[in-house]
Amino acid sequence: MFLINCPYCGERDQQEFKAGGEAHIERPKQPTELSDDEWAEYLFMRKNIKGVQFERWNHAHGCRKWFNMVRDTSNDEIKAIYKMGEKPPAQ
Amino acid sequence: MTKTLRVKSSEYIDETNRISFKFNGKTYHGFKGDTLASALLANDVHLVGRSFKYHRPRGIMTSGSEEPNAIVQVNPGTNRTEPNVRATEVEIYEGLEASSQNCWPSVEFDIGGINNFLSPFFPAGFYYKTFMWPASFWEKYEFFIRHSAGLGKSPTSSDPDIYDHRNIHCDVLVVGAGISGILAAKIAAKKNFKTLLVDEKNELGGSTIFENNEFNKIDNKTPSEWLKKEIEELKNIKNLEIKTRTSVAAYHQYNYLLARENLTDHLEAKDKTNKIRQRLLKIRAKKVILATGALERPLIFNNNDRPGIMLSSAVKKYSEFYGVACGSKNVFFTNNDSAYESALSLYNKGINVEAIIDIREQSESKIVKKVKEAGIKIYWSHSIVDTAGYKRLNSVSIMQLSNDGSSVTGSKISISCDCLGIAGGWTPAVHLYTQSGSKLKFDEEKKVFVPNQNTSEQISVGSCGGDFKIDEIIKNLNHKLKDTLNIKGTDLDNIKVEIDQENSKRNIWLLPSDKPLGKTKPFVDYQNDATAKDIKLALREGFRSIEHVKRYTTTGMGTDQGKLGNMHALGIIADTAGVKMGELGTTTFRPPYTPLTFGTIVGRNVGKFFDIFRRTSMNDWHVENKAEFENVGQWKRAWYYPINGETMHQAVQRESKAARESAGILDASTLGKIDIQGSDASEFLNRVYTNAWSKLAIGKCRYGLMLNEDGMVYDDGVTTRLGENHYIMTTTTGGAANVLGKLEDYLQTEWPELDVYLTSVTDHYATVSLCGPNSKKILKKIILDLDLSDENFPHMSFKESKIGNIQCRIMRISFTGEHSYEINVQASYGKDLWEKCMEAGQEFNITPYGTETMHLLRAEKGFIIVGQDTDGTMTPIDLQMDWIVSKKKYDFIGKRSLYRSDTMREDRKQLVGLLTDDPNIVLEEGAQIVSELNQSPVEMLGHVTSSYFSPNLKKSIALAVVRGGKDMMGKKLFVPMENKNINVTVASPVFYDEKNERLNA
Ligand SMILES: [Zn+2]
């Protein structure tokens, strides 16, 4: 059970949060211009890395804000947390 | 006749407080301070259980939580009974009863003991290999296995005790109150760290408190004297909380630990009442100091499991701490110096020590010299090759060890004894350390796994960190504490420590016998009856991974998780396979370290299901009027209102007819309601719904369908434009929270440029749905000042008005196809509004109806219910709702997916109506649909999603999803059921009032 430092509320228990999958997958601005394959790439393809992964998290039972997290999935170490729209830290 | 082996008064045993207890029905006596194990040993009782597979007689092996054999059922037959309790951890009290497990009819005569004589037929994997064939015999085997297996019995009546949870936040958590833990806690607290010290035992001090080696000194005092003074000083330290009888069960990431605090298990029944029995401590610690000590290892030799064979350290603890001699003729078997301390402890109390058998060639330490001076016979370079005595050890046979330790030579000597203390060295208790995710490394010299890479703010001190000598322990502890707490001078800087010289041990994982391995029983896992032979067999059969060998042989899979024998199992595998232990790795230690009760886990959350109930403000009325309820998400919704003993079917038929013929009233408060405001609100709706919203006039309502990005229907509902930049959206009852979450997600992450604010107002409004041809007349009676004509207030529009003094929002919308209104008021006025409607409707026989009738009425109209007629694989096109998908809009959530090759297939499952040829047969929801009957295998075309008997149409109607169903209008299909095939015809899903004439009736 990890502690997550919500960028809006501070440290809270993991129970208050919801994981939202891989981060930095932008919804295409012009979906109609995409081929089936390109659209499928956006729609279905997600990484599941053992190691450092960029993820979206939501403080679902708190401020309801979405933010990004860099987490090492092999040991659950949270390496960084930053707001939506902010640049990911250099790795 | 039992004799007493109480040898000396101990300060931890209160001999003025005599306690009687029962074990296996017989009354014994002990003293306050005894454990069940020490009290039984004082009464010369060693035989306490039978082993799991061979039902071999087993005795008390240890003095702590690592005990594999002395597993008992406490207070059998009562509502406080508990199985699988370690006798070494049960503190006795007046009236305690306990019994052996895994034996029938008694521990003295156990019928399963026959397995022992059959044991050549019970090799590793026996169950897997034997009972696989023939398959049809499994039931017979299972009966036999279940009857003869089993560890203890769970209670059959409810638990009378109270359990609790507590959250603790501290700067420093110290686990284990041996010498290292006490010193660490003391220093941390004195340096102003908020510190919590926990220990599973009832007394502080660990093993140092009964340390008896007179050659070890701290500040010229014996370590036990010195430590007692330190413990005394703890009382005056602020910032320090101490919890005894508290066992840490789990160590999760981020220094989150769970511990069980035992509060009443040691008390008499009369003192247990109305007190908290156990408390689960949820600890968040900034830093964790593990001082969990080390567990003594047994030695693995032939027949090493007889009652009377114990760990040498346990023999010492029983003697020094409990004042109990475990035998009257004692022998020790060792590979290091620690057995000499145990031997001296007994010798000093006048108890007979027959011999010490040491596999080493010699040792020069002072304590060994002292033993020699005492005249105790030492057999150097010898090993035990066999033991004798079925229910109690009566002798051991020893032989000379070869130089390489792989065989024995010379003549066999038999030594008569009733207790054998075995000392195989020490294993750091790293279980919690590895649970935290930290990694071990193997120390080839000490033959132990020690902490290596820490993943959280933690240190391991004392013997769990690989330090076994007191001087080493104190030096390294001081250094690690300064480092981790970032402090300078400590009390430990000027301590003077003298220690006895210790000779290195000689490690042989599996000791040889004069018999071949196939003829011997060297137990590695006592609780699961796994022997060295089983492990070697597994390797011969090709198992290589330690995790596989563990599962195949069941080594380490008992309730003790193999705390004693795991290292030997690894050692034997490494030796046999010719690999280094460090390369082999260990098996995973999983929480809990010691078992937890269910009571501790659930705490106060007992009784009713611990989930939130949501009730509408009209709920009391529904209860008073005998409604039956159904759960919709967390909501309790009125399902139907039976009168005069009606069945559900009768009630629903009556309600459905009334709603169409005159007037019905439904509590629709549970529908999700989201208030949407902001200058981009219209654009936002354009993006989330499939249809267009920009041109919706203020005061008008529109039905919307929301898709997932994959094009599948996600939710639906009516949204009303309240103002230029203000909408109120309704969602399905069950989907409300998810819809809000999804919309927030898009707003925050994809479209942060939109000026839109979402607020859930579901709980703020109560909603009455008034429907039927007389609904207008009823509303007219109670509404002030509102023109209800179709011109002023047409279908799909909205008005604000007042009913009595209640401000209300009224939408003229319909989910039944009838002329109807949804009246929203501030939630606290819900019941008042409902009663006003009932009163006004009395002359029209207004009929309250529940969710079942609502479902029936909408099915007559072919309106879908998201989640019932859809299942996350239906597009709007599949639902024949093409009309709601805007062709003009450039984009909306899910639009692109509607043009994927898969979503455009002609043979997708599509929503259709089904009519049974016999109008009285109602199909079962979920029933499969086929087009052929005499074909095998038959293709299943789809299934029934909604099905009712319509009282308004006087026939059975159903909605279904059918592959290619759109083009099957009028086609005959079949619904095969268990006993009959039902003939059906594909029809339009709209069964009633296809032209929507009743909306304006
Ligand atoms: Zn937050």
Side-chain angles (χ1 to χ4, degrees):
Chain A
M1 204 67 81
F2 30 111
L3 277 181
I4 296 174
N5 194 4
C6 171
Y8 304 93
C9 308
E11 273 197 341
R12 295 288 190 278
D13 194 282
Q14 184 194 336
Q15 284 184 56
E16 295 184 11
F17 296 84
K18 208 172 101 180
E22 194 181 341
H24 304 299
I25 296 178
E26 201 184 343
R27 187 174 188 274
K29 290 268 182 288
Q30 296 171 316
T32 44
E33 312 289 310
L34 301 182
S35 69
D36 267 14
D37 284 352
E38 286 165 333
W39 179 246
E41 185 67 30
Y42 159 72
L43 200 53
F44 301 121
M45 297 307 175
R46 296 293 182 273
K47 291 188 196 115
N48 187 13
I49 300 164
K50 182 180 178 184
V52 176
Q53 181 159 287
F54 292 73
E55 298 174 335
R56 286 153 30 93
W57 282 74
N58 180 227
H59 194 183
H61 300 283
C63 64
R64 297 200 338 229
K65 283 284 192 184
W66 285 89
F67 56 89
N68 293 310
M69 181 191 290
V70 186
R71 182 174 68 105
D72 187 332
T73 60
S74 66
N75 60 13
D76 284 330
E77 189 196 341
I78 297 171
K79 298 197 174 277
I81 282 176
Y82 51 102
K83 293 179 182 175
M84 281 293 159
E86 287 181 358
K87 271 215 162 108
Q91 283 301 301
Chain B
M1 184 60 219
T2 56
K3 55 183 171 179
T4 177
L5 287 166
R6 196 69 68 170
V7 288
K8 179 208 100 173
S9 55
S10 152
E11 62 187 288
Y12 300 102
I13 297 293
D14 179 4
E15 292 194 41
T16 63
N17 193 344
R18 194 164 177 263
I19 287 168
S20 63
F21 66 96
K22 278 187 179 172
F23 182 66
N24 285 335
K26 195 174 160 186
T27 301
Y28 295 94
H29 296 283
F31 298 114
K32 185 83 195 148
D34 266 325
T35 61
L36 179 59
S38 71
L40 285 171
L41 290 167
N43 286 282
D44 204 24
V45 176
H46 274 259
L47 172 61
V48 290
R50 292 274 176 164
S51 70
F52 188 61
K53 194 158 70 174
Y54 303 133
H55 290 247
R56 281 169 70 100
R58 288 281 165 80
I60 296 158
M61 184 82 201
T62 72
S63 57
S65 59
E66 71 272 32
E67 176 62 36
N69 291 342
I71 306 290
V72 298
Q73 180 97 27
V74 175
N75 296 317
T78 71
N79 55 2
R80 283 205 167 93
T81 194
E82 190 179 345
N84 301 329
V85 178
R86 292 151 301 282
T88 48
E89 290 195 302
V90 177
E91 296 173 50
I92 62 165
Y93 51 85
E94 193 63 36
L96 169 72
E97 287 192 38
S99 62
S100 301
Q101 295 181 170
N102 199 34
C103 55
W104 185 81
S106 77
V107 70
E108 292 287 335
F109 175 75
D110 174 45
I111 232 160
I114 193 107
N115 288 2
N116 186 31
F117 302 106
L118 297 175
S119 67
F121 307 112
F122 279 75
F126 171 78
Y127 287 90
Y128 302 124
K129 288 169 183 166
T130 311
F131 298 122
M132 289 300 288
W133 187 91
S136 60
F137 268 46
W138 170 246
E139 282 178 20
K140 291 192 179 65
Y141 292 138
E142 192 188 21
F143 175 80
F144 169 75
I145 294 167
R146 294 220 186 278
H147 195 69
S148 55
L151 288 168
K153 289 186 172 63
S154 45
T156 50
S157 50
S158 66
D159 192 327
D161 286 315
I162 305 165
Y163 299 82
D164 203 8
H165 287 182
R166 180 185 159 193
N167 288 298
I168 297 182
H169 297 262
C170 57
D171 295 324
V172 176
L173 168 69
V174 183
V175 185
I179 184 165
S180 317
I182 284 168
L183 295 178
K186 194 176 166 187
I187 289 165
K190 278 170 96 172
K191 296 281 183 186
N192 282 326
F193 292 93
K194 190 184 165 201
T195 305
L196 174 65
L197 171 66
V198 301
D199 194 279
E200 59 181 4
K201 301 263 183 350
N202 59 333
E203 295 282 353
L204 302 177
S207 61
T208 309
I209 211 71
F210 53 89
E211 170 65 52
N212 67 331
N213 187 333
E214 61 192 89
F215 304 108
N216 292 335
K217 290 270 162 49
I218 304 176
D219 283 347
N220 296 319
K221 293 197 177 79
T222 64
S224 65
E225 275 177 87
W226 185 83
L227 186 58
K228 277 171 199 167
K229 179 185 60 84
E230 293 289 311
I231 291 172
E232 200 50 37
E233 287 172 15
L234 289 181
K235 286 176 193 156
N236 306 318
I237 297 178
K238 282 178 198 157
N239 290 325
L240 176 63
E241 186 177 3
I242 302 173
K243 287 192 173 293
T244 54
R245 298 188 177 100
T246 299
S247 161
V248 174
Y251 186 166
H252 297 295
Q253 312 110 318
Y254 290 74
N255 281 348
Y256 179 60
L257 295 91
L258 297 175
R260 182 212 55 211
E261 184 182 16
N262 223 330
L263 298 159
T264 65
D265 275 2
H266 60 292
L267 301 177
E268 282 179 48
K270 67 178 170 61
D271 298 326
K272 292 185 203 278
T273 319
N274 294 328
K275 286 185 187 149
I276 293 163
R277 180 191 169 201
Q278 292 172 345
R279 186 183 280 137
L280 186 72
L281 307 179
K282 302 172 172 181
I283 307 167
R284 287 266 185 207
K286 293 209 179 98
K287 293 177 195 280
V288 173
I289 298 177
L290 291 170
T292 46
L295 301 174
E296 190 168 42
R297 292 177 192 171
L299 291 163
I300 311 300
F301 55 94
N302 185 23
N303 286 319
N304 59 346
D305 67 325
R306 299 190 189 282
I309 300 179
M310 311 173 66
L311 294 181
S312 156
S313 59
V315 174
K316 179 166 114 183
K317 181 164 186 186
Y318 287 118
S319 164
E320 292 288 328
F321 191 88
Y322 298 104
V324 172
C326 294
S328 36
K329 279 156 79 182
N330 297 281
V331 169
F332 289 90
F333 183 25
T334 187
N335 68 2
N336 67 89
D337 280 354
S338 62
Y340 293 81
E341 294 174 10
S342 307
L344 270 183
S345 171
L346 294 178
Y347 174 82
N348 289 338
K349 292 173 185 64
I351 305 295
N352 190 13
V353 179
E354 297 282 319
I356 297 179
I357 299 137
D358 197 323
I359 67 172
R360 299 175 298 178
E361 282 164 18
Q362 58 162 357
S363 169
E364 293 300 326
S365 60
K366 289 176 188 160
I367 190 138
V368 171
K369 277 188 193 136
K370 179 114 185 172
V371 167
K372 281 184 193 160
E373 283 161 23
I376 296 170
K377 173 82 179 147
I378 304 172
Y379 292 92
W380 296 106
S381 293
H382 272 70
S383 180
I384 293 180
V385 295
D386 203 357
T387 65
Y390 185 55
K391 290 182 208 164
R392 176 72 184 267
L393 179 73
N394 60 35
S395 71
V396 298
S397 304
I398 67 169
M399 288 174 80
Q400 179 93 35
L401 258 180
S402 65
N403 283 343
D404 68 353
S406 68
S407 60
V408 282
T409 59
S411 55
K412 208 185 281 185
I413 307 167
S414 177
I415 304 169
S416 159
C417 59
D418 61 359
C419 179
L420 173 69
I422 53 179
W426 297 86
T427 301
V430 293
H431 309 73
L432 292 176
Y433 177 79
T434 58
Q435 277 183 24
S436 75
S438 296
K439 296 277 182 281
L440 301 169
K441 68 164 189 230
F442 192 70
D443 182 328
E444 291 286 346
E445 192 199 328
K446 290 179 179 167
K447 298 284 176 206
V448 291
F449 281 100
V450 289
N452 188 29
Q453 283 180 324
N454 300 353
T455 53
S456 51
E457 290 272 353
Q458 60 177 206
I459 50 171
S460 294
V461 298
S463 55
C464 75
D467 298 329
F468 296 103
K469 298 182 204 165
I470 285 189
D471 58 339
E472 256 178 20
I473 289 174
I474 290 179
K475 194 180 100 212
N476 289 336
L477 168 67
N478 196 18
H479 168 73
K480 286 179 185 174
L481 273 181
K482 284 178 178 173
D483 206 42
T484 192
L485 300 180
N486 198 18
I487 51 174
K488 293 212 168 70
T490 75
D491 295 352
L492 300 179
D493 289 341
N494 302 311
I495 285 181
K496 207 173 89 220
V497 184
E498 296 163 49
I499 59 149
D500 189 8
Q501 178 195 346
E502 199 191 345
N503 286 52
S504 62
K505 64 176 189 175
R506 180 183 188 188
N507 201 77
I508 301 173
W509 294 115
L510 171 60
L511 290 156
S513 170
D514 53 331
K515 291 183 200 151
L517 185 61
K519 304 273 185 206
T520 62
K521 289 214 177 67
F523 287 92
V524 175
D525 182 322
Y526 292 84
Q527 197 174 96
N528 272 351
D529 270 349
T531 67
K533 186 172 63 182
D534 295 324
I535 292 171
K536 292 206 170 193
L537 177 67
L539 292 168
R540 272 208 309 281
E541 292 187 1
F543 291 91
R544 284 293 172 269
S545 152
I546 171 69
E547 294 286 355
H548 291 158
V549 173
K550 167 182 162 173
R551 280 158 184 80
Y552 192 54
T553 61
T554 72
T555 303
M557 290 175 72
T559 60
D560 61 338
Q561 293 194 29
K563 292 189 181 80
L564 292 190
N566 268 348
M567 285 300 293
H568 304 83
L570 289 168
I572 292 165
I573 294 168
D575 284 353
T576 310
V579 294
K580 282 192 167 172
M581 285 187 68
E583 292 161 14
L584 209 55
T586 64
T587 57
T588 315
F589 300 112
R590 292 198 172 82
Y593 178 67
T594 48
L596 291 174
T597 60
F598 282 114
T600 312
I601 295 166
V602 300
R604 303 265 175 176
N605 302 336
V606 290
K608 276 189 183 164
F609 182 46
F610 191 70
D611 193 12
I612 295 163
F613 289 151
R614 298 173 80 184
R615 294 188 169 99
T616 72
S617 43
M618 293 79 129
N619 187 72
D620 287 354
W621 192 95
H622 306 323
V623 172
E624 281 159 25
N625 287 276
K626 309 280 188 297
E628 293 290 331
F629 287 83
E630 75 166 333
N631 297 328
V632 183
Q634 291 171 325
W635 287 102
K636 295 278 170 197
R637 292 199 75 177
W639 194 10
Y640 58 97
Y641 300 79
I643 46 177
N644 303 325
E646 278 175 327
T647 63
M648 171 164 155
H649 177 75
Q650 289 164 339
V652 170
Q653 297 288 305
R654 172 181 51 76
E655 291 171 12
S656 303
K657 243 171 119 61
R660 293 224 188 274
E661 286 174 3
S662 177
I665 180 169
L666 171 83
D667 180 355
S669 308
T670 64
L671 285 180
K673 294 175 273 291
I674 300 171
D675 186 87
I676 303 173
Q677 299 190 43
S679 55
D680 294 317
S682 304
E683 170 61 15
F684 179 66
L685 289 171
N686 267 334
R687 295 186 191 188
V688 300
Y689 278 130
T690 61
N691 45 351
W693 289 78
S694 311
K695 289 183 186 145
L696 184 70
I698 293 168
K700 296 288 178 195
C701 314
R702 183 165 288 172
Y703 173 77
L705 203 55
M706 197 183 289
L707 310 185
N708 258 332
E709 205 66 272
D710 62 6
M712 304 303 158
V713 172
Y714 183 72
D715 201 78
D716 69 345
V718 170
T719 295
T720 302
R721 188 166 197 173
L722 301 174
E724 177 63 28
N725 298 321
H726 192 186
Y727 291 83
I728 183 140
M729 171 190 279
T730 58
T731 73
T732 57
T733 296
N738 288 336
V739 169
L740 181 67
K742 179 186 158 96
L743 298 184
E744 275 288 351
D745 188 353
Y746 275 91
L747 264 185
Q748 289 180 32
T749 68
E750 299 293 353
W751 308 321
E753 73 279 8
L754 292 187
D755 175 39
V756 176
Y757 303 89
L758 306 175
T759 311
S760 167
V761 293
T762 304
D763 293 321
H764 303 56
Y765 290 95
T767 308
V768 166
S769 174
L770 200 57
C771 93
N774 286 320
S775 57
K776 191 197 243 175
K777 291 178 202 154
I778 296 168
L779 186 59
K780 199 167 201 154
K781 283 175 70 179
I782 52 176
I783 198 107
L784 304 173
D785 231 17
L786 180 64
D787 175 5
L788 294 180
S789 68
D790 287 345
E791 294 71 42
N792 184 55
F793 194 9
H795 182 57
M796 296 308 271
S797 63
F798 154 83
K799 294 284 177 207
E800 259 183 287
S801 184
K802 270 187 165 185
I803 293 178
N805 288 324
I806 317 168
Q807 192 70 34
C808 54
R809 287 174 171 176
I810 308 174
M811 282 88 171
R812 194 176 150 194
I813 54 178
S814 176
F815 193 40
T816 60
E818 297 298 320
H819 186 123
S820 58
Y821 303 93
E822 281 189 8
I823 311 164
N824 295 276
V825 294
Q826 192 183 314
S828 47
Y829 292 108
K831 195 175 169 219
D832 191 22
L833 170 66
W834 181 276
E835 282 167 345
K836 281 192 164 68
C837 292
M838 286 302 295
E839 200 189 318
Q842 207 175 8
E843 62 177 295
F844 304 100
N845 186 30
I846 188 170
T847 301
Y849 66 93
T851 49
E852 192 63 22
T853 291
M854 174 185 83
H855 288 179
L856 191 160
L857 294 173
R858 65 85 210 182
E860 289 177 338
K861 286 293 296 171
F863 295 150
I864 58 154
I865 290 185
V866 173
Q868 175 160 346
D869 303 296
T870 73
D871 59 3
T873 66
M874 303 296 288
T875 68
I877 319 300
D878 298 338
L879 294 170
Q880 307 216 42
M881 292 171 78
D882 314 41
W883 54 270
I884 202 171
V885 181
S886 164
K887 301 272 185 304
K888 288 185 198 144
K889 279 201 296 182
Y890 180 70
D891 192 15
F892 55 83
I893 297 172
K895 172 165 176 151
R896 175 61 185 82
S897 290
L898 298 179
Y899 305 96
R900 293 179 61 237
S901 56
D902 183 59
T903 40
M904 294 203 302
R905 278 188 295 116
E906 296 286 311
D907 63 342
R908 290 180 61 84
K909 285 183 182 170
Q910 291 145 355
L911 186 82
V912 293
L914 283 188
L915 290 170
T916 50
D917 290 3
D918 176 347
N920 292 312
I921 297 179
V922 179
L923 297 170
E924 272 184 39
E925 287 174 359
Q928 295 293 324
I929 299 160
V930 301
S931 61
E932 297 288 337
L933 279 177
N934 305 314
Q935 196 181 312
S936 171
V938 63
E939 189 196 12
M940 293 184 289
L941 293 177
H943 65 275
V944 178
T945 59
S946 295
S947 175
Y948 308 89
F949 186 84
S950 160
N952 300 303
L953 297 157
K954 298 189 176 56
K955 66 179 180 187
S956 155
I957 56 165
L959 297 175
V961 291
V962 176
R963 189 163 295 157
K966 257 186 223 179
D967 299 326
M968 285 188 184
M969 208 55 65
K971 193 174 159 72
K972 298 277 180 196
L973 296 172
F974 308 98
V975 176
M977 298 301 291
E978 211 173 350
N979 302 316
K980 61 186 173 196
N981 296 309
I982 303 167
N983 297 342
V984 297
T985 306
V986 179
S988 155
V990 186
F991 301 100
Y992 189 77
D993 183 28
E994 265 188 73
K995 291 182 184 149
N996 295 327
E997 287 161 349
R998 303 185 60 83
L999 284 174
N1000 295 316

